[in-house]
Amino acid sequence: MTKADIDAAFVEFERVQKSYDGVTLVVKDLNLSLPKGEFLTMLGPSGSGKTTCLMMLAGFETATHGEIRLAGRPINNIPPHKRGIGMVFQNYALFPHMSVAENLAFPLEVRKLDKAEREAKVMRALDMVQMGKFGGRRPAQLSGGQQQRVALARALVFEPELVLMDEPLGALDKQLREHMQFEIKRIADRLGITVVYVTHDQTEALTMSDRVAVFDDGRIQQLATPDELYERPLNSFVAQFIGENNTLTGVVTEIKGETCNVKLDSGDIIDAKPVNVTKVGDRTKVSIRPERVEFNKARLRPDAHTLKAEVLEFIYMGDIFRTRLRVAGHDDFVVKTRNASDQVRLQPGTTIDIGWMPEDCRALDA
Amino acid sequence: MTDATQETSGPIVAADGRPLRQSLNRALRRQKIRALLLIAPLLAFIMVSFVIPIGDMLFRSVENQIVPETLPRTTALLGDWDPDLGEPPPEAVFAAFYTDLVLAEERKLHTRLGSRLNYENSGVASLFRATGRDVGRFDTDIYTDQLVAAVPDLEDGAKWAGWMAEPPVRDALPQTADAYDGWAQMVAEVHNADPVTRQPADFVFAALYRDLAAGAAPPPPLDVDVGGFETVSIRDQFAASDPKWLDTGVWRTMRAYAGPLTNGYFLNAVDMMKSADGPRVRPENERIYLTLFLRTMKMSLVITGLCILLGYPVAWILANLPLRSANLLMILVLLPFWTSLLVRTSAWKILLQQQGVINDLLVGIGLVGDGSRLELINNSTGTIIAMTHILLPFMILPLYSVMKTIPPSYLRAAKSLGANDWTAFWRVYFPQSAPGVGAGSILVFILAIGYYITPELVGGTKGVFISNRIAFHISSSLNWGLAAALGTILLVMVLVLYWAYDKLVGIDNVKLGG
């Protein structure tokens, strides 16, 4: 990390560890730095430590070890109410005994703004989330989506530079969730705020984020932009966690620069790109995306290895076809093909040859 | 059931053509009947064991049958007497009272009546008892002797019965007929004898004399000329038995309590009394109940306040601890419930007395001198300490169950919005726990206001509640009417407070859980 990077970092975690019980570490050696204005998502299965990280940043949990800095200032010992960080909670945490407008005015009141200024800011924030007409309502009188908007407005009304969101869309139905993803992204971009967003929904993470930190087992497994994360996962956890993925296991038999050969447990040889295998004889899990599998021999390289595959199931999904195959003893191998006019519809029971470009098949850790 | 009245343009009709509401009611009737049957046993039990006795008890607070029933003739005449003239009632009232008292004495009712009137005017009980002994020996036998001398048939009970059955005689001699009826009934009931076999008592002859002296003209042989008879003043006979009968006091009391219903108990219960000019406040040295009511209210408020202060943090800890430790703590909170109330209160006696554990400790650590040990018991301090301890769980439990439903994210949200710990608590957490505070307060206050055993044991005289006075009137002074009036006032007070609470806070805002 260069000097300039450190200066530019707005939020930094340095060697942060967290343990609740003194026996196990929930967060193991976390290092993370994000520049101002970035939309960073912490993605991971439950229990991976992502929410703990968010809570440490918000100040509701203290780091057992390490330092957290905000705009270059260590904040470990600053109580949450002095950090000036906006936060949207999973269940919104709108105060039920206050109206929407009172909820929004609350952070301004505790900051001792005068009444006129408060009202102006509340109105502006409500308008921003298209809730201007609902100021007099109680939270219980709003729908889930409306409550979500109010919670967002409340986290933004005091103009924090950093906003944390803890699975804010988890309680909404699919359509509303997708709509709100857009909305949040749009508002964040417009205001230029830095957002740390926690979710376990990978689509959400890919759609909204500038960068995604994939958490597992208390560590960041990969921190990258969405496309890099999807196309170039660094280990088999990330490959499996992000998007749909076919996994085959085997042993590396030959490495030639950017490609290698892997002998699968079934005895078949395939082409792959070595990612974290270093020498012949390493066990590996190879990962291949369903849409990169090719069964049109003409499109493969002449020297490409192919595999026999038996078609088990053909599912018509509108824009794509999803075909389940039995490959090298695995019967959960999935192929996705675009619904084009010239696309072949594979019939269950038939046997075909499949292959792929070596760079699309990543040989990862076992 | 809600019976919302809906305005519709026309009655909606069911498929069979009947109005929809009617059809619905028919359909619901079975359900209602079944629900009623299910609660019927409990309802009957509650009615018989609870509602009816309580209603009867409450009725005693206004019931006053004993005076008009025992003294029907006297109370009928006393209304015309003006006590403010300072004169005892006229001879006619004494004469009626004489008749009433003789009959009451024969039935042994005069002592009960005396006790009843004694609640209002102390000394009446002994007056009634003493005069009751004398009333049979009044000098009215001179009328008997003179009348029998004039008409010997008057010695014959059968003849009397014959005359008294004749309407012309009864019309001519109204007082005699009335006195004879009373006597005849009494003889039949008390002595189990046929009045035909007996000569009427002296008071019947006295009544006959009064009728004749007033100019009555009965058919012969009763038309005796009594002009030359020797007379005796019944008023003087009473005065001879006890000169107090010439005071207006006892007569005022009888006159004030002449009706079958009375507000006297209630006036008593608020330190007032009946007088000729309507209710007036009792003299200062006789006032007791208002002080007691006020003390009961004040101390109950203090106890409720202390319970909030002590219970709120405990409930908060309970609600925020992990379940295992919370359960353990909850057992400690509930522990007092498993011990007898009496035992707990007695324990406080040992702890609080001047040579008790707490004083010993304070003296031991030098906080209090041995000579100036604190008076912690037999006063209001003792009552407050013991009752706060006993009622604390009733505050903690509703608080806990409400706090349990407040997610911790509210406090976090408040802090993330910039509120410090106190603001976050006061503006966000406390308002949401207020329904629990309300429920706990109502519970504790209403329990406290009617508490009996603890103030009785540790309250001394300065720390007793109105309930102790009620108990005293129920079991010691036997003035049940006053006890009922005090109880009714207490009940009304609680209902009024409940109503006020509903108006101010809203009873919907009271939560015992969930």
Side-chain angles (χ1 to χ4, degrees), chain A residues 185-347:
Chain A
K185 180 70 178 150
R186 184 178 61 79
I187 291 171
D189 285 348
R190 210 182 77 201
L191 298 177
I193 49 174
T194 312
V195 177
V196 178
Y197 191 103
V198 163
T199 184
H200 62 262
D201 181 336
Q202 40 126 339
T203 333
E204 204 166 288
L206 296 180
T207 325
M208 299 176 77
S209 322
D210 296 328
R211 282 196 298 167
V212 178
V214 180
F215 274 73
D216 186 47
D217 193 26
R219 287 177 203 282
I220 295 185
Q221 301 292 335
Q222 188 170 359
L223 172 62
T225 57
D227 57 335
E228 183 158 336
L229 212 55
Y230 185 79
E231 282 169 30
R232 288 186 287 282
L234 283 182
N235 57 37
S236 54
F237 173 79
V238 177
Q240 258 164 331
F241 194 73
I242 307 285
E244 207 168 359
N245 184 58
N246 292 309
T247 305
L248 301 169
T249 51
V251 179
V252 179
T253 53
E254 192 186 348
I255 301 183
K256 305 174 282 191
E258 283 297 285
T259 60
C260 65
N261 284 350
V262 174
K263 185 178 183 217
L264 299 181
D265 296 343
S266 60
D268 301 295
I269 303 282
I270 56 165
D271 306 312
K273 174 186 163 74
V275 178
N276 38 14
V277 289
T278 47
K279 56 182 194 297
V280 171
D282 279 354
R283 275 202 71 79
T284 181
K285 272 185 184 157
V286 299
S287 147
I288 171 128
R289 297 290 180 195
E291 65 275 14
R292 297 290 169 99
V293 177
E294 193 56 74
F295 46 85
N296 186 345
K297 262 196 169 164
R299 295 203 196 146
L300 290 173
R301 268 193 248 168
D303 62 339
H305 290 94
T306 58
L307 283 175
K308 286 267 176 259
E310 186 191 347
V311 179
L312 296 176
E313 199 177 7
F314 175 85
I315 300 170
Y316 177 85
M317 295 180 75
D319 53 346
I320 56 161
F321 304 144
R322 196 168 182 277
T323 315
R324 192 160 63 84
L325 309 172
R326 179 180 293 130
V327 174
H330 299 267
D331 52 10
D332 53 0
F333 196 96
V334 171
V335 176
K336 282 183 191 166
T337 44
R338 203 163 57 84
N339 182 359
S341 51
D342 60 344
Q343 191 58 264
V344 188
R345 300 187 183 196
L346 296 170
Q347 295 308 308

Side-chain angles (χ1 to χ4, degrees), chain A residues 55 60-61 80-81 85 87 89 93-98 106-107 109-111 154-155 158, chain B residues 407 409-421 423-424 426-429 431-432:
Chain A
M55 289 300 165
F60 299 127
E61 300 289 353
H81 66 274
I85 299 176
M87 185 149 180
F89 289 83
L94 295 175
F95 307 139
H97 58 293
M98 298 183 190
F106 183 81
E109 250 172 79
V110 299
R111 286 177 172 75
R154 189 178 67 175
F158 60 100
Chain B
S409 62
Y410 287 127
L411 269 182
R412 289 183 162 181
K415 286 182 195 173
S416 83
L417 293 170
N420 59 28
D421 288 354
T423 313
W426 184 245
R427 293 281 313 277
V428 174
Y429 195 85
Q432 293 187 64

Side-chain angles (χ1 to χ4, degrees), chain A residues 114-143:
Chain A
D114 63 60
K115 195 161 187 280
E117 205 175 342
R118 276 201 319 249
E119 279 171 5
K121 286 195 182 212
V122 166
M123 218 45 234
R124 210 181 322 143
L126 280 178
D127 283 339
M128 181 176 69
V129 294
Q130 288 121 46
M131 291 291 292
K133 279 181 282 182
F134 295 88
R137 297 258 192 108
R138 289 286 168 115
Q141 296 168 309
L142 302 178
S143 71

Side-chain angles (χ1 to χ4, degrees), chain B residues 198-504:
Chain B
R198 298 226 178 164
Q199 176 188 349
D202 291 341
F203 70 89
V204 182
F205 285 91
L208 176 60
Y209 167 77
R210 284 200 301 278
D211 276 333
L212 293 170
L222 293 174
D223 53 345
V224 186
D225 176 15
V226 296
F229 274 26
E230 189 189 342
T231 61
V232 60
S233 159
I234 292 175
R235 184 195 323 203
D236 291 348
Q237 292 292 316
F238 274 101
S241 168
D242 195 314
K244 275 192 201 150
W245 290 111
L246 294 185
D247 291 344
T248 52
V250 56
W251 295 104
R252 277 173 190 273
T253 310
M254 276 196 268
R255 184 175 185 273
Y257 290 90
L261 295 178
T262 178
N263 56 3
Y265 293 120
F266 276 101
L267 289 174
N268 240 339
V270 293
D271 288 338
M272 295 174 82
M273 55 195 279
K274 282 176 98 105
S275 73
D277 328 314
R280 75 185 157 84
V281 179
R282 277 177 188 276
E284 195 127 1
N285 58 347
E286 287 178 27
R287 290 182 208 160
I288 167 168
Y289 299 112
L290 278 187
T291 321
L292 270 176
F293 272 119
L294 276 179
R295 182 197 290 165
T296 306
M297 297 274 281
K298 256 194 310 207
M299 283 174 60
S300 299
L301 277 178
V302 170
I303 289 161
T304 310
L306 282 175
C307 280
I308 296 175
L309 282 181
L310 296 175
Y312 199 94
V314 176
W316 193 83
I317 292 276
L318 277 173
N320 287 286
L321 274 181
L323 203 62
R324 268 177 68 95
S325 351
N327 282 343
L328 191 72
L329 260 182
M330 186 54 98
I331 289 175
L332 295 182
V333 168
L334 291 176
L335 205 60
F337 274 140
W338 303 340
T339 327
S340 147
L341 176 64
L342 209 60
V343 173
R344 273 179 286 158
T345 307
S346 309
W348 278 113
K349 270 186 108 104
I350 294 165
L351 289 171
L352 293 174
Q353 58 189 257
Q354 288 215 299
Q355 302 300 322
V357 179
I358 291 175
N359 264 311
D360 280 352
L361 200 71
L362 290 176
V363 171
I365 61 173
L367 214 62
V368 170
D370 201 10
S372 55
R373 283 168 176 259
L374 301 177
E375 284 184 41
L376 297 172
I377 201 165
N378 294 333
N379 54 22
S380 48
T381 317
T383 305
I384 288 173
I385 292 175
M387 278 182 64
T388 303
H389 165 249
I390 285 162
L391 294 176
L392 199 53
F394 293 100
M395 180 64 79
I396 293 176
L397 290 177
L399 271 176
Y400 167 74
S401 58
V402 169
M403 286 178 177
K404 199 83 192 136
T405 64
I406 306 175
S409 62
Y410 287 127
L411 269 182
R412 289 183 162 181
K415 286 182 195 173
S416 83
L417 293 170
N420 59 28
D421 288 354
W422 169 252
T423 313
F425 166 75
W426 184 245
R427 293 281 313 277
V428 174
Y429 195 85
F430 184 76
Q432 293 187 64
S433 66
V437 177
S441 299
I442 289 192
L443 211 57
V444 169
F445 186 79
I446 290 179
L447 282 172
I449 213 173
Y451 232 64
Y452 165 68
I453 198 144
T454 306
E456 182 75 19
L457 288 177
V458 300
T461 49
K462 290 278 178 205
V464 295
F465 279 12
I466 193 70
S467 50
N468 301 91
R469 201 67 198 167
I470 296 178
F472 166 77
H473 283 307
I474 289 282
S475 55
S476 299
S477 84
L478 301 184
N479 189 351
W480 285 18
L482 180 56
L486 290 170
T488 308
I489 292 176
L490 196 60
L491 179 65
V492 169
M493 248 163 61
V494 169
L495 291 178
V496 165
L497 286 170
Y498 189 79
W499 174 83
Y501 185 91
D502 185 29
K503 284 282 151 199
L504 291 175

Side-chain angles (χ1 to χ4, degrees), chain B residues 176-189:
Chain B
T176 315
D178 177 47
Y180 179 82
D181 290 347
W183 171 81
Q185 198 186 353
M186 181 272 290
V187 167
E189 286 173 13

